[in-house]
């Protein structure tokens, strides 16, 4: 459009706007336009003038009430701030005292352990002392006098204990006490010790193969040798007789069977089967590391240097300047119009200036400062080939089993009274290459069927470890040394017999293999409950997706007490250990109810958006969740806690759970439980129950519904959610409209034609502003008594008995720490 057309349209819009302003009068509240009332609706000018004056009077009255309520609300907010600051400081003081006692105890324990290690005189090196451990490693590699299988397995126990000692040291030492240089040295030492174990086991296998003639079985004539301890089982089969009728072999003691194809039955080969309880491969794979997304840093580029402008560019810039000036003029005129309108609206509608009332403003007290909440991390998808195993989603169970095809070394020959032995130099096992033939073409199925060099897939059958619970058919994978990944390539015909506890498969290659199970097979949980037995004693029950477990807690120790119908868990059931040790034992036994930091990537958990935020954040708010675990643990001697079905339906800033006082060691009834709501600032007992059909956040003892806001900026009542929204309906719904669909403003009414003066007069006399500010304020705040507290510990003073409070004060700090560790490890508030 041309400039003339724009000016004409602008003038028409301005005239139309002025006509509408003259034809309507405005009802105000707190400086906000609530409703435009059409002038032709009220009939005679006298009736319209009366309605206008009545509305003006109501507005003045309402503004006065708002000012009074604002002062009162500020006073109450100050009281809340003072109370919350006092309560949180008192709670933090208790937690800090417990933390200091715990740190002192752990420091003393570590100091004593260090002294005991120094005074140990059993010949084992101190893995922390680099001089001692380096000397030990070098001597182990140079000593060839103890390469027999029995000696190697015995010496490997010491190597594994040194590795475990270093790993425990890295886990147990606080991060602030760990020096980056020491961490690197410890990890390097662990890697060197693992290399020593692997090298010595290979040398032991070579020694067995070299002595195959002496160790041969008298019936079959082939080598059949097994040696084992609690960590390693080594079995070697050597083909000395080259009997083509031998199609398979079973290590009966190991419950391990493998096929021997004809091509191998006629060759100088051997098969080593080595089962290990430890896994030195997975930690070296990058698939085991959480894949956090890197934040992109926005780098502001420096503006380019100004160049000489061309004539054409100058013309374009002049046009842009003109358009910019026109836009600025339009905005300025619009602002002036709005300012004039609002100035007129704030003043007396009949032309008299409104007197400004100066109210004494209340200054907000200093609030308790919450620690900053870190931004929740985001994780990348597993972007590898399809055959690669993601170790963030799968656990290696039962250790590792090596099935290696080896070259049989030359055997000693007896010539007269002489025994001639060919030395293997350098001493190392030789791995034979074997790759199964691809599946035959159906058209050529019968051709060359009986070839002696045919290489079919190898069938392997094994009994699953007796101390590992497999909840589904396991997945088998082979270690790819080049890529440093576990791969599923080359496996087929997987068969799982749950009753016989056996597993079989076919593989195209020999190698290092493992069995895997879904890490999150037991997640999310169906329910959970933390119930006290007595002082410093409780039981944590988790009904997971498949199994139901119970963890007994007493003082600083805990143990797995349920399930009792799983014989695979017999070795760990009833064993009192620390929480860290129990977590490791249960994961190794196949009962993983402990989410990882990135488990929300693999588990369908609560995934709600923060109010007014487009970003989706999984799980509960970390600060609220951590505080709830702390306070639950602090009161776990006398209060029982349980899951709530409402927790998953609410936003991440609201944690909902059930709680009940439990001083007797007896199961609780349904009516004993109450529903509680915890936010960043408040904890309250709700009037609703777990079995209600609809959610309601009304606290116990309150008649009105309280709007709870967790953000610092929204702690006061929102105009849309508080008194503003409820006062939009100024009278008759037909005359002034109803609330809009979103609840944030009025629907504009349609003009009604043909109304009589009688009806108009009736409507005018019914004109009112809805509930007064005092009524709305009374519905929102309980002035006499606050229905909420700052934390669970102080809320107990309102809902618990004196005996329960006394027991909480007598609770041992070690018990509190043990409960808190288990709650943090299971993350029941997010994963149930």
């Amino acid at each position: 459009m041309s400039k003339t057309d724009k000016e004409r349209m602008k003038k028409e819009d301005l005239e139309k706007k002025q006509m509408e302003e003259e034809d309507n009068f405005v009802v105000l509240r707190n400086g906000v336009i609530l409703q435009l009332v059409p002038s032709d609706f009220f009939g005679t000018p006298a009736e319209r003038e009366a309605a206008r004056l009545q509305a003006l009077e109501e507005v003045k009255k309402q503004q006065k009430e708002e000012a009074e309520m604002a002062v009162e609300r500020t006073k109450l907010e100050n009281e809340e701030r003072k109370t919350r600051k006092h309560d949180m400081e008192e709670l933090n003081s208790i937690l800090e005292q417990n933390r200091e006692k715990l740190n002192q105890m752990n420091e003393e324990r570590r100091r004593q352990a260090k002294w005991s290690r120094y005074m140990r005189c059993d010949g084992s090196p101190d893995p922390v002392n680099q001089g001692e451990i380096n000397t030990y490693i070098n001597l182990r590699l140079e000593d060839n006098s103890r390469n027999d299988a029995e000696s190697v397995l015995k010496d490997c126990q010491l190597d594994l204990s040194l590795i475990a000692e270093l790993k425990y040291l890295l886990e147990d030492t606080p991060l602030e006490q760990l020096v980056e240089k020491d961490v690197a040295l410890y990890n390097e030492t662990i890697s060197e010790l693992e290399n020593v174990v692997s090298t010595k086991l290979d040398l032991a296998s070579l020694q067995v193969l070299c002595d195959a003639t002496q160790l041969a079985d008298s019936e079959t004539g082939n080598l059949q040798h097994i040696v084992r301890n609690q960590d390693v089982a080594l079995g070697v089969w050597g083909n000395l007789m080259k009997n083509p009728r031998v199609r398979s072999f079973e290590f009966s003691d190991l419950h391990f069977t493998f096929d021997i194809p004809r091509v191998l039955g006629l060759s100088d080969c051997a098969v080593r089967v080595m089962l290990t309880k430890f896994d030195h491969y997975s930690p070296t794979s990058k698939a085991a590391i959480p894949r956090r997304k890197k934040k992109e840093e926005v780098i502001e580029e420096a503006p380019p240097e100004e160049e000489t402008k061309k004539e054409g560019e100058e013309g374009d810039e002049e046009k842009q300047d003109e358009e910019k000036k026109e836009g600025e003029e339009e905005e300025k005129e619009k602002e002036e119009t709005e300012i004039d309108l609002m100035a007129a609206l704030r003043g007396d509608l009949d032309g008299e200036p409104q007197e400004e009332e100066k109210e004494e403003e209340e200054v907000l007290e200093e609030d308790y400062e919450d620690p900053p909440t870190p931004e929740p991390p985001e994780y990348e998808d597993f972007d590898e080939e399809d055959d690669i195993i993601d170790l963030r989603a799968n656990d290696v169970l039962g250790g590792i089993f090596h099935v290696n095809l080896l070259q049989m070394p030359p055997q000693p020959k007896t010539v007269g009274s002489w025994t001639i032995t060919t030395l293997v130099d350098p001493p190392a096992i030789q791995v034979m290459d074997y790759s199964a033939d691809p599946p035959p073409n159906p058209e050529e199925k019968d051709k060359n069927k009986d070839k002696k060099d045919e290489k079919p897939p190898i069938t392997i059958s094994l009994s699953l470890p007796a101390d590992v619970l497999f909840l589904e058919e396991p997945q088998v994978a082979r270690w790819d040394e080049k890529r440093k990944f576990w791969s599923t390539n080359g496996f087929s015909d997987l068969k799982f017999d749950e009753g016989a506890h056996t597993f079989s498969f076919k593989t195209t290659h020999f190698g290092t293999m493992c069995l895997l199970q879904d890490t999150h097979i037991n997640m999310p949980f169906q329910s959970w409950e933390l119930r006290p037995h007595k002082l410093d004693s409780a039981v944590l029950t988790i009904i997971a997706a498949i199994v139901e477990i119970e963890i007994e807690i007493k003082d600083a120790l805990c143990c797995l007490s349920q399930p009792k119908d799983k014989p695979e868990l017999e070795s760990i059931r009833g064993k009192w250990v620390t929480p860290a040790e129990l977590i490791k034992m249960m994961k190794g036994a196949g009962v993983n109810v402990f989410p990882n930091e990135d488990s929300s990537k693999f588990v369908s958990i609560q995934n709600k958006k923060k109010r007014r935020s487009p970003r989706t954040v999984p799980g509960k708010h970390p600060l609220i969740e951590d505080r709830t675990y702390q306070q639950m643990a602090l009161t776990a001697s006398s209060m029982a806690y349980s899951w709530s079905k409402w927790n998953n339906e609410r936003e991440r800033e609201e944690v909902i759970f059930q709680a009940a006082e439990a001083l007797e060691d007896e199961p609780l009834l349904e009516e004993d439980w109450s529903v509680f709501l915890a936010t960043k600032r408040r904890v309250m007992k709700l009037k609703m129950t777990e079995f209600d059909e609809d959610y309601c956040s009304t606290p116990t003892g309150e008649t009105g519904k309280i709007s709870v806001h967790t953000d610092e900026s929204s702690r006061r009542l929102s105009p849309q959610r508080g008194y503003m929204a409820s006062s939009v309906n100024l009278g008759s719904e037909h005359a002034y409209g109803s609330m809009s669909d979103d609840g944030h403003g009025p629907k504009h009414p349609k003009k009604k034609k043909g109304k009589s003066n009688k009806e108009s007069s009736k409507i005018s006399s019914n004109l009112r502003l809805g509930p007064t500010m005092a009524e709305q304020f009374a519905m929102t705040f309980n002035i006499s008594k606050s229905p909420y507290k700052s934390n669970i510990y102080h809320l107990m003073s309102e809902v618990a008995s004196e005996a329960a409070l006394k027991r909480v004060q007598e609770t041992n700090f070690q018990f509190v720490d043990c409960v808190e560790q288990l709650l943090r490890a299971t993350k029941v508030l997010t994963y149930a």
Side-chain angles (χ1 to χ4, degrees):
M1 291 187 296
S2 64
K3 187 174 181 181
T4 306
D5 294 335
K6 290 182 179 179
E7 291 179 352
R8 179 176 53 79
M9 290 184 65
K10 180 180 176 183
K11 185 176 181 181
E12 290 177 356
D13 292 340
L14 188 59
E15 290 177 354
K16 184 177 180 182
K17 187 174 181 181
Q18 290 176 352
M19 290 177 63
E20 290 178 352
E21 291 175 359
E22 293 175 356
D23 195 45
N24 297 274
F25 74 87
V26 181
V27 177
L28 288 182
R29 179 168 300 174
N30 208 22
V32 179
I33 301 175
L34 293 185
Q35 188 67 47
L36 293 176
V37 183
S39 59
D40 63 341
F41 184 78
F42 289 94
T44 64
E47 290 175 340
R48 288 194 293 112
E49 181 66 15
R52 186 184 69 84
L53 294 176
Q54 182 180 353
L56 179 60
E57 191 67 26
E58 291 288 345
V59 168
K60 291 181 179 180
K61 181 179 179 182
Q62 193 71 27
Q63 289 177 345
K64 184 177 180 181
E65 290 180 356
E66 286 177 4
E68 294 175 354
M69 293 300 103
V71 175
E72 190 66 27
R73 183 169 57 250
T74 304
K75 291 180 180 179
L76 285 178
E77 189 170 354
N78 279 338
E79 291 298 325
E80 180 192 352
R81 284 170 172 257
K82 291 178 182 178
T83 303
R84 182 172 185 269
K85 184 176 182 181
H86 174 269
D87 291 348
M88 293 303 295
E89 288 177 351
E90 183 180 357
L91 174 64
N92 287 338
S93 176
I94 297 173
L95 295 175
E96 186 62 29
Q97 290 178 8
N98 290 345
R99 196 177 298 112
E100 289 179 358
K101 294 177 183 178
L102 189 67
N103 291 338
Q104 292 175 3
M105 184 193 69
N106 288 332
E107 283 295 330
E108 180 62 24
R109 175 182 54 79
R110 285 190 284 266
R111 188 190 64 80
Q112 186 63 36
K114 187 176 180 180
W115 175 253
S116 300
R117 188 66 180 84
Y118 177 77
M119 295 298 294
R120 190 190 299 179
C121 299
D122 57 357
S124 63
D126 186 356
V128 178
N129 189 318
Q130 289 300 308
E132 289 187 25
I133 196 64
N134 289 337
T135 302
Y136 171 79
I137 291 174
N138 292 331
L139 292 177
R140 284 275 287 135
L141 294 175
E142 294 172 0
D143 185 10
N144 294 323
S145 62
R146 295 179 59 82
N147 286 342
D148 59 286
E150 288 78 5
S151 300
V152 167
L153 263 64
K154 183 178 180 180
D155 295 341
C156 282
Q157 286 185 310
L158 177 58
D159 299 333
L160 295 174
S161 66
L162 295 174
I163 293 173
E165 188 175 346
L166 283 173
K167 289 183 177 180
Y168 176 76
L169 187 64
L170 290 173
E171 296 172 357
D172 185 60
T173 306
L175 294 177
E176 59 272 11
Q177 297 182 14
L178 284 174
V179 183
E180 186 176 353
K181 181 180 178 181
D182 293 341
V183 174
L185 286 174
Y186 295 166
N187 287 324
E188 183 180 356
T189 303
I190 290 173
S191 179
E192 292 177 353
L193 288 171
E194 291 175 350
N195 180 60
V196 169
V197 173
S198 178
T199 302
K200 284 298 181 178
L201 288 174
D202 287 347
L203 292 175
S205 303
L206 177 62
Q207 188 67 43
V208 172
L209 293 176
C210 291
D211 298 338
T213 305
Q214 300 176 7
L215 301 174
D217 182 65
S218 58
E219 295 182 3
T220 62
N222 290 327
L223 170 64
Q224 300 173 201
H225 186 70
I226 296 177
V227 58
R228 64 190 307 171
N229 62 12
Q230 61 182 2
D231 298 312
V232 183
L234 176 63
V236 182
W237 176 86
N239 189 18
L240 297 176
M241 301 304 294
K242 298 182 179 62
N243 185 355
R245 291 179 295 179
V246 179
R247 300 298 178 88
S248 65
F249 181 77
E250 178 184 4
F251 286 107
S252 56
D253 292 347
L254 303 180
H255 305 287
F256 196 99
T257 305
F258 57 90
D259 283 353
I260 304 174
R262 183 181 179 85
V263 67
L264 297 181
L266 299 175
S267 63
D268 293 325
C269 69
V271 177
R272 179 183 70 171
V273 176
M274 184 167 62
L275 312 179
T276 63
K277 292 288 186 67
F278 48 85
D279 175 16
H280 293 162
Y281 297 92
S282 298
T284 64
S285 174
K286 67 178 184 180
I289 303 173
R291 300 174 291 275
R292 288 196 176 191
K293 287 185 179 180
K294 296 181 179 179
K295 296 181 181 179
E296 298 181 358
E297 296 183 359
V298 180
I299 302 176
E300 297 182 358
E301 298 181 358
E305 296 181 359
E306 295 183 359
E307 300 178 355
T308 306
K309 298 180 181 180
K310 298 180 181 180
E311 295 180 358
E313 293 178 353
E314 291 179 356
D316 294 339
E317 288 183 0
E318 289 178 359
K319 292 181 179 179
Q320 293 177 0
D321 291 341
E322 290 180 2
E323 293 178 357
K324 187 176 180 181
K325 288 179 180 179
E326 291 178 4
E328 290 177 353
E329 290 176 358
E330 292 178 359
E331 292 181 0
K332 187 176 180 180
E333 291 179 1
K334 185 178 180 181
E335 290 177 359
E336 289 177 354
T337 304
E338 292 179 354
I339 292 173
D340 294 341
L341 175 62
M342 295 306 296
L345 294 176
R346 290 193 185 95
D348 193 352
L349 294 179
D350 58 3
E352 297 179 3
Q354 185 179 8
E355 296 181 1
E356 297 182 358
E357 298 181 0
K358 296 182 180 180
E359 297 287 347
E360 184 178 351
E361 296 182 357
E362 288 284 336
V363 180
L364 289 176
E365 296 285 340
E366 182 181 358
D367 196 4
Y368 175 80
E369 185 176 357
D370 291 314
T373 303
E375 186 177 353
E378 297 181 12
Y379 298 93
E380 297 178 351
D381 295 328
F382 189 64
D383 189 16
E384 297 292 342
E385 298 179 16
D386 295 339
D387 64 307
I388 300 301
I389 292 293
D390 183 6
L391 292 176
R392 302 304 303 174
N394 297 274
D395 288 333
V396 176
L397 294 183
I400 306 299
F401 57 98
H402 306 255
V403 187
N404 306 115
L405 182 64
L406 306 178
Q407 178 70 46
M408 180 69 73
Q411 297 300 307
K413 295 182 180 180
T414 302
V415 181
S417 59
W418 292 84
T419 301
I420 301 174
T421 303
T422 303
L423 298 179
V424 180
D425 190 25
I429 58 175
Q430 295 183 7
V431 180
M432 295 180 63
D433 183 33
Y434 183 91
S435 297
D437 298 331
N441 192 337
E443 298 178 358
E444 303 176 357
K445 186 175 182 181
D446 296 330
K447 295 181 180 181
N448 303 325
K449 184 177 181 180
D450 297 328
K451 281 187 175 181
K452 295 181 179 179
D453 57 351
E454 185 180 9
K455 295 181 178 180
I458 307 298
T459 300
I460 295 177
S461 179
L462 69 155
S463 291
L464 299 178
D467 56 352
V468 177
L469 179 62
F470 285 90
L471 301 172
E472 63 178 356
E473 179 179 317
Q475 192 175 11
V476 62
R478 181 187 301 103
W479 178 251
D480 190 332
E481 184 62 31
K482 293 182 180 179
R483 296 186 292 175
K484 297 293 183 182
F485 284 120
W486 290 105
S487 172
T488 59
N489 189 23
F491 295 98
S492 61
D493 295 348
L494 277 64
K495 296 180 181 179
F496 174 52
D497 190 336
E498 187 176 1
H501 213 57
T502 59
F503 182 68
S504 64
F505 57 90
K506 289 184 178 180
T507 176
T508 58
H509 296 79
F510 290 88
T512 301
M513 307 176 193
C514 72
L515 300 179
L516 303 112
Q517 181 173 268
D518 183 5
T519 301
H520 309 97
I521 190 173
N522 266 311
M523 305 175 200
F525 313 138
Q526 298 182 37
S527 64
W528 63 273
E529 179 181 308
L530 177 64
R531 183 167 57 87
H533 282 326
K534 53 183 180 180
L535 181 64
D536 297 333
S537 179
V539 57
L540 175 63
T541 303
I542 297 178
I543 300 179
I546 298 180
V547 298
E548 178 180 350
I549 68 168
E550 283 188 4
I551 300 176
E552 295 283 346
I553 308 169
K554 188 175 181 180
D555 295 329
L557 302 178
C558 53
C559 76
L560 179 69
S561 58
Q562 293 284 357
K564 293 185 177 180
D565 59 344
K566 304 293 183 183
E568 297 88 351
L569 306 179
E570 188 66 32
S571 59
I572 66 173
R573 190 185 301 117
K575 189 175 181 181
W576 290 91
V577 292
T578 62
E581 292 173 320
L582 180 66
I583 293 170
K584 188 179 298 184
M585 287 164 47
M586 290 179 62
K587 283 185 175 181
V591 186
N592 189 355
V593 292
F594 309 100
N596 298 319
E597 62 173 279
D598 56 346
S599 289
S600 59
K601 185 81 175 175
F602 309 98
V603 182
S604 177
I605 60 171
Q606 183 203 45
N607 200 25
K608 291 184 178 293
K609 294 181 180 179
K610 184 178 179 181
R611 187 181 292 116
R612 303 184 187 90
S613 174
R615 185 180 178 187
T616 301
V617 183
K620 291 297 181 181
H621 193 286
L623 179 60
I624 304 173
E625 188 176 12
D626 288 346
R627 281 180 174 174
T628 307
Y629 292 148
Q630 283 181 344
Q631 296 159 25
M632 283 181 176
L634 187 63
T635 58
S637 283
S638 59
M639 293 290 291
Y641 297 97
S642 179
W643 76 293
S644 173
K645 67 180 181 181
W646 305 106
N647 186 49
N648 192 48
E649 299 180 6
R650 305 304 300 166
E651 296 183 349
R652 68 189 302 259
E653 293 84 6
E654 297 179 354
V655 171
I656 302 180
F657 55 92
Q658 296 185 80
E661 182 178 317
L663 299 180
E664 302 294 334
D665 189 9
E666 296 178 357
L668 296 172
L669 302 177
E670 292 181 354
E671 54 268 21
D672 295 333
W673 295 95
S674 300
V675 180
F676 288 78
L677 166 66
T679 66
K680 191 175 181 180
R681 295 184 58 83
R682 298 164 176 169
V683 178
M684 66 186 73
K685 180 180 178 182
L686 302 182
K687 183 180 292 186
M688 62 173 292
T689 67
E690 183 68 12
F691 307 101
D692 289 354
E693 295 182 359
D694 299 321
Y695 174 79
C696 179
S697 60
T698 303
T700 302
E702 187 71 10
T703 57
K705 183 176 179 180
I706 287 186
S707 300
V708 180
H709 303 281
T710 57
D711 296 337
E712 182 70 21
S713 61
S714 62
R715 280 184 289 103
R716 297 186 180 183
L717 284 178
S718 160
Q720 288 79 18
R721 296 180 179 269
Y723 53 84
M724 283 294 186
S726 62
S727 59
V728 173
N729 190 1
L730 303 181
S732 173
E733 180 177 352
H734 299 285
Y736 298 97
S738 59
M739 291 292 292
S740 62
D741 295 335
D742 58 359
H744 296 337
K747 292 180 179 178
H748 293 290
K750 297 181 180 179
K751 291 187 177 182
K752 305 289 184 177
K753 295 184 179 180
K755 284 283 182 181
S756 64
N757 293 341
K758 183 177 180 181
E759 292 176 345
S760 301
S761 177
K762 182 178 180 181
I763 295 175
S764 176
S765 63
N766 290 333
L767 180 64
R768 62 186 302 270
L769 295 177
T772 63
M773 285 301 300
E775 294 171 347
Q776 289 293 332
F777 189 76
M779 291 172 60
T780 307
F781 289 92
N782 188 341
I783 303 176
S784 61
K785 184 178 180 182
S786 175
Y788 46 78
K789 294 292 182 181
S790 302
N791 52 72
I792 298 176
Y793 177 78
H794 286 89
L795 186 63
M796 280 190 63
S797 60
E798 301 289 340
V799 300
S801 64
E802 294 183 2
L805 296 175
K806 183 179 180 182
R807 182 182 286 188
V808 170
Q809 295 173 356
E810 296 173 353
T811 302
N812 189 346
F813 67 92
Q814 292 177 277
F815 170 77
V816 174
D817 177 67
C818 186
V819 175
E820 184 178 345
Q821 286 190 57
L822 290 174
L823 291 176
R824 289 178 182 273
T826 53
K827 297 182 180 179
V828 289
L829 291 175
T830 292
Y831 286 87

